[in-house]
Amino acid sequence: MTALQTDATNPSQLLIPPTDSAGRVSQFMKQLQDEICDRLEELDGTQFTEDSWERDEGGGGRSRVMREGTILEQGGVNFSEVWGKQLPPSILKQRPEAEGHGFYATGTSMVLHPRNPYVPTVHLNYRYFEAGPVWWFGGGADLTPYYPFAEDAAHFHRTLKAACDKHHAEYYPVFKRWCDEYFYLKHRQETRGVGGIFFDYQDGRGTLYRGPYKDSAAAIYSQQLSEIETRSWEELFRFIQDCGRAFLPAYIPIVEKRKDIEYGDRERNFQLYRRGRYVEFNLVYDRGTIFGLQTNGRTESILMSLPPLVRWEYNYNPEPDTPEAELYETFLKPQDWANWHSS
Amino acid sequence: MTALQTDATNPSQLLIPPTDSAGRVSQFMKQLQDEICDRLEELDGTQFTEDSWERDEGGGGRSRVMREGTILEQGGVNFSEVWGKQLPPSILKQRPEAEGHGFYATGTSMVLHPRNPYVPTVHLNYRYFEAGPVWWFGGGADLTPYYPFAEDAAHFHRTLKAACDKHHAEYYPVFKRWCDEYFYLKHRQETRGVGGIFFDYQDGRGTLYRGPYKDSAAAIYSQQLSEIETRSWEELFRFIQDCGRAFLPAYIPIVEKRKDIEYGDRERNFQLYRRGRYVEFNLVYDRGTIFGLQTNGRTESILMSLPPLVRWEYNYNPEPDTPEAELYETFLKPQDWANWHSS
């Protein structure tokens, strides 16, 4: 047995990935892209078009986009697998052990912009990194409704919670808070939507929260758990697969329920206005976007997440006692959606 | 005579601002806002609406917006005057002498988004800072056409060059290059438009280029000049005033020439698509936007620069031999517009 093989009886050996780690994860990421695209094509009746691309510094991907679909005004589902000599500074700051080492990264990311304002926008991204002595999984999925349906938010959260609970009772409570805090527009004092789950730097060791904000709700909650047991690479990979496969059952029933609700200019205008927040978040705060632009990623694939049509309006405020006001009052603030009960 | 008064015969005294510096600059910035708004209202036949606002940490401003005008689909002209205990980190990095001191900042900024795709979008910003032992002026103006008219780019540049040349023969050559480099979208490998002039940290001492990129064309050109003579606060203030007042003669004739050209869906769609670059630049690169968001500025005023309606399209490329392709080939790369001659 070589030093690189895993000895399941030795906790420190659990933290070593198998020799075929990169290949197994990238294969799963491709399958996830395929499964999501197949189901969306079936539902929409429209095909994705695919661009395969290569990256000069190493690696490549396949970008799939659906435009002017029946349900999806635009949807982008990307798979990528990239490698290079050095992680960008924004990641090295969080993972100094990777300094001076080459890196490998693979992942699938997706943003869907439905046409009907009653159908929420949704985002998913799961990713895996290896860099010298370190490896980690990250990702999540979050929902951004335009109109307030508490049962949709509850269904989305409960489906993701069930996938998390299979692996650890504390995953959902930490990763749900982390999501609320990550997808937050500080300059607007709003969450991007109703959240979901989000996590990063999961390498099987110690505390679950590995974000930069020590005074955040996720950090404080995670500290209360103190160190949780070591989790193996295999267990984390199974967890990522269950999260990825929870996406379709979390989202598709919401689309089916809302896609045929009639709407007019008022709802369309509000949707276009709220899409502006998606642009603001992705360009000002999103680490995935920044990572992509810093690593000379493929700009068209990185910015595929931006909505097809967007509106900004100076000093807009919703009228009191309207669905638009309810969105701001309740849905753009963190809520315990998994425990929501219809009254 | 006290130490704070200016002794024009002593070069080191030239670098001390007069005691009424802040008041005089802010008064000019307000006048500039008034003059620009008055002329635009006259031309458009539509009124600006004004919001006066105050900032908790100190200061305030007046934001003026015109919406759904005859010519301007949206235009925002802001005056602000803010002060506080500490400049934000992004500025302290460039001006470490200001560390530990309070600051004062005043300025006028403007972005106009015309409806007709043949009329270019335009931006202006002039500003003044004081912080402990340091003070400086910054700003500029730049033009972003959607359709390629070389004579418009030449007129805009020549008008700004004339204002610069009154004060120093080397202002325009340095500040024009600085503008090309500042308003550059690295991830698109495009300039934002045809540029104009841009400068920062002008405090009367030494080299003109004070940007972060030592290997930029502006830096290299500026180094070749070696140190230029000390310029007094009064002279720099006169320079800023001449730049500000050059805006209307630089831009208004272009509007008058292009505002009645007929256009269709093709031109409108291209304009909405190109407006996406304006959003990308302002949210990803613009220091003014980042400064505003970091200092808890008024979000609605800061983001008033974003266009009213914007479109993104995955993998768009203009058809060869079209005006849209000519924009990319010639107008989104630095050109010597001031020396352009019609052939």
Side-chain angles (χ1 to χ4, degrees):
Chain A
M1 180 169 151
T2 71
L4 279 169
Q5 284 179 306
T6 301
D7 173 356
T9 63
N10 177 346
S12 77
Q13 291 291 325
L14 288 173
L15 298 172
I16 296 174
T19 47
D20 56 356
S21 54
R24 284 169 62 200
V25 182
S26 78
Q27 188 181 35
F28 162 70
M29 295 294 177
K30 273 188 217 165
Q31 280 170 2
L32 183 62
Q33 186 194 33
D34 287 340
E35 285 171 21
I36 290 173
C37 290
D38 288 351
R39 183 70 185 94
L40 290 173
E41 288 183 343
E42 179 190 41
L43 186 70
D44 196 281
T46 311
Q47 303 297 303
F48 280 91
T49 53
E50 177 177 298
D51 287 318
S52 289
W53 51 273
E54 291 188 5
R55 183 171 160 279
D56 284 345
E57 292 91 340
R62 32 185 225 200
S63 295
R64 293 185 188 158
V65 66
M66 183 190 292
R67 273 182 282 195
E68 303 287 335
T70 315
I71 298 165
L72 296 182
E73 190 170 333
Q74 184 180 293
V77 192
N78 282 314
F79 159 79
S80 70
E81 180 180 33
V82 304
W83 52 86
K85 287 191 181 143
Q86 175 97 328
L87 283 165
S90 61
I91 296 186
L92 283 174
K93 227 169 103 179
Q94 292 292 315
R95 274 286 164 275
E97 313 95 296
E99 182 78 54
H101 293 279
F103 75 93
Y104 171 86
T106 185
T108 282
S109 65
M110 176 198 74
V111 174
L112 307 179
H113 292 289
R115 185 185 311 280
N116 187 316
Y118 290 106
V119 183
T121 283
V122 72
H123 162 248
L124 165 148
N125 168 237
Y126 291 103
R127 53 189 183 251
Y128 174 65
F129 286 83
E130 291 186 356
V134 286
W135 57 268
W136 68 91
F137 290 95
D142 70 290
L143 192 73
T144 306
Y146 301 93
Y147 280 87
F149 296 103
E151 64 185 279
D152 294 354
H155 170 78
F156 189 79
H157 273 270
R158 284 171 188 157
T159 310
L160 296 180
K161 181 176 184 297
C164 290
D165 288 352
K166 274 176 65 181
H167 296 269
H168 202 297
E170 301 299 349
Y171 278 170
Y172 177 78
V174 176
F175 299 157
K176 187 270 184 201
R177 285 171 172 83
W178 198 340
C179 188
D180 285 336
E181 290 171 347
Y182 181 79
F183 293 102
Y184 183 71
L185 289 90
K186 189 168 171 283
H187 65 284
R188 299 286 191 181
Q189 300 187 277
E190 295 168 9
T191 56
R192 181 164 83 171
V194 298
I197 57 170
F198 179 80
F199 52 88
D200 208 352
Y201 303 116
Q202 296 299 307
D203 60 7
R205 290 181 296 181
T207 30
L208 295 176
Y209 178 76
R210 300 288 187 89
Y213 303 110
K214 301 306 167 206
D215 57 348
S216 74
I220 291 163
Y221 184 91
S222 180
Q223 278 156 18
Q224 288 165 0
L225 308 172
S226 71
E227 297 260 313
I228 74 163
E229 64 275 23
T230 296
R231 295 151 294 147
S232 70
W233 187 94
E234 295 290 351
E235 161 53 21
L236 277 170
F237 182 38
R238 282 193 294 272
F239 168 59
I240 287 289
Q241 293 173 76
D242 281 334
C243 285
R245 297 221 161 92
F247 167 72
L248 289 171
Y251 183 63
I252 298 296
I254 299 171
V255 179
E256 288 176 324
K257 196 180 276 178
R258 308 297 169 198
K259 71 184 173 62
D260 299 319
I261 303 179
E262 286 190 26
Y263 64 92
D265 286 347
R266 168 184 169 156
E267 293 80 11
R268 176 66 171 167
N269 279 333
F270 185 63
Q271 177 198 45
L272 297 189
Y273 176 78
R274 291 295 314 165
R275 282 178 175 175
R277 297 296 207 272
Y278 224 81
V279 176
E280 291 176 22
F281 181 83
N282 285 12
L283 296 184
V284 178
Y285 300 104
D286 186 55
R287 290 221 313 275
T289 304
I290 294 163
F291 172 78
L293 299 176
Q294 280 182 344
T295 51
N296 293 320
R298 185 172 182 262
T299 296
E300 289 296 335
S301 299
I302 298 163
L303 299 184
M304 223 161 98
S305 62
L306 300 182
L309 194 65
V310 188
R311 204 170 67 82
W312 272 273
E313 181 178 327
Y314 173 72
N315 237 0
Y316 168 81
N317 284 298
E319 295 284 318
D321 303 316
T322 58
E324 292 83 1
E326 194 192 342
L327 186 92
Y328 279 77
E329 285 152 20
T330 306
F331 288 68
L332 302 182
K333 294 171 181 163
Q335 306 290 352
D336 185 8
W337 291 114
N339 286 312
W340 173 83
H341 295 286
S342 58
S343 48
Chain B
M1 181 169 152
T2 73
L4 278 168
Q5 284 178 306
T6 302
D7 174 357
T9 63
N10 178 345
S12 78
Q13 290 291 326
L14 288 172
L15 298 171
I16 297 174
T19 47
D20 56 354
S21 55
R24 283 170 61 199
V25 182
S26 78
Q27 187 182 34
F28 163 71
M29 295 294 178
K30 273 188 216 166
Q31 280 169 2
L32 182 62
Q33 185 194 33
D34 287 339
E35 286 171 21
I36 291 173
C37 290
D38 287 351
R39 183 69 185 95
L40 291 172
E41 287 184 344
E42 180 191 39
L43 186 69
D44 197 282
T46 310
Q47 301 298 302
F48 280 92
T49 54
E50 177 177 299
D51 286 319
S52 288
W53 50 273
E54 290 188 6
R55 184 170 159 277
D56 284 347
E57 293 91 339
R62 33 184 224 199
S63 295
R64 292 186 188 156
V65 65
M66 184 190 292
R67 273 183 282 196
E68 303 288 336
T70 314
I71 298 166
L72 296 182
E73 191 170 334
Q74 183 180 292
V77 191
N78 282 313
F79 159 79
S80 70
E81 179 180 34
V82 305
W83 52 87
K85 286 191 182 142
Q86 176 96 330
L87 283 166
S90 62
I91 295 186
L92 283 174
K93 227 170 105 179
Q94 292 293 316
R95 274 285 164 275
E97 313 96 295
E99 183 79 54
H101 293 279
F103 75 92
Y104 171 85
T106 186
T108 283
S109 66
M110 177 198 75
V111 174
L112 307 180
H113 292 290
R115 185 185 311 280
N116 188 316
Y118 290 107
V119 183
T121 283
V122 72
H123 162 249
L124 165 147
N125 168 236
Y126 291 102
R127 52 190 184 252
Y128 174 67
F129 286 82
E130 290 186 357
V134 285
W135 58 268
W136 68 90
F137 289 95
D142 69 290
L143 192 74
T144 307
Y146 301 93
Y147 280 87
F149 295 103
E151 63 185 279
D152 294 354
H155 170 78
F156 189 78
H157 272 271
R158 285 170 188 160
T159 310
L160 295 180
K161 181 175 185 297
C164 290
D165 287 353
K166 273 176 65 181
H167 295 270
H168 202 296
E170 300 299 348
Y171 278 169
Y172 176 79
V174 175
F175 299 158
K176 187 271 183 199
R177 285 171 170 83
W178 198 340
C179 187
D180 285 337
E181 289 171 348
Y182 182 79
F183 293 102
Y184 183 71
L185 287 90
K186 188 168 171 284
H187 65 285
R188 299 287 190 180
Q189 300 186 276
E190 293 169 7
T191 55
R192 181 163 84 171
V194 296
I197 57 170
F198 179 79
F199 52 88
D200 208 353
Y201 302 117
Q202 297 298 309
D203 59 7
R205 290 181 297 181
T207 27
L208 294 176
Y209 179 75
R210 300 289 187 89
Y213 304 109
K214 301 307 170 205
D215 57 348
S216 74
I220 291 162
Y221 185 90
S222 180
Q223 279 157 17
Q224 288 165 358
L225 307 173
S226 73
E227 296 261 312
I228 74 163
E229 65 275 24
T230 297
R231 294 150 296 147
S232 70
W233 187 95
E234 295 290 350
E235 161 53 21
L236 278 169
F237 182 37
R238 281 193 294 272
F239 168 59
I240 288 289
Q241 292 173 76
D242 282 334
C243 286
R245 298 222 161 92
F247 167 70
L248 289 172
Y251 184 62
I252 298 296
I254 299 171
V255 180
E256 288 177 324
K257 195 180 274 178
R258 307 297 169 200
K259 71 186 173 62
D260 299 319
I261 303 179
E262 285 190 29
Y263 64 91
D265 285 349
R266 166 183 170 158
E267 293 81 12
R268 175 67 171 169
N269 280 333
F270 185 63
Q271 178 198 44
L272 297 189
Y273 175 78
R274 292 293 316 166
R275 281 178 177 175
R277 299 295 207 272
Y278 224 82
V279 175
E280 291 176 22
F281 181 83
N282 285 11
L283 296 183
V284 177
Y285 299 103
D286 187 55
R287 289 221 315 275
T289 304
I290 294 164
F291 171 78
L293 299 175
Q294 280 182 346
T295 50
N296 293 318
R298 185 172 180 261
T299 296
E300 288 296 335
S301 299
I302 298 163
L303 299 184
M304 224 161 98
S305 62
L306 300 181
L309 195 65
V310 187
R311 206 170 66 80
W312 271 274
E313 181 178 328
Y314 173 72
N315 237 2
Y316 167 81
N317 284 298
E319 295 286 318
D321 303 316
T322 59
E324 292 82 1
E326 194 193 341
L327 188 90
Y328 279 76
E329 287 153 19
T330 306
F331 288 69
L332 303 182
K333 294 171 182 164
Q335 306 290 352
D336 185 8
W337 292 114
N339 286 314
W340 174 83
H341 294 286
S342 59
S343 48

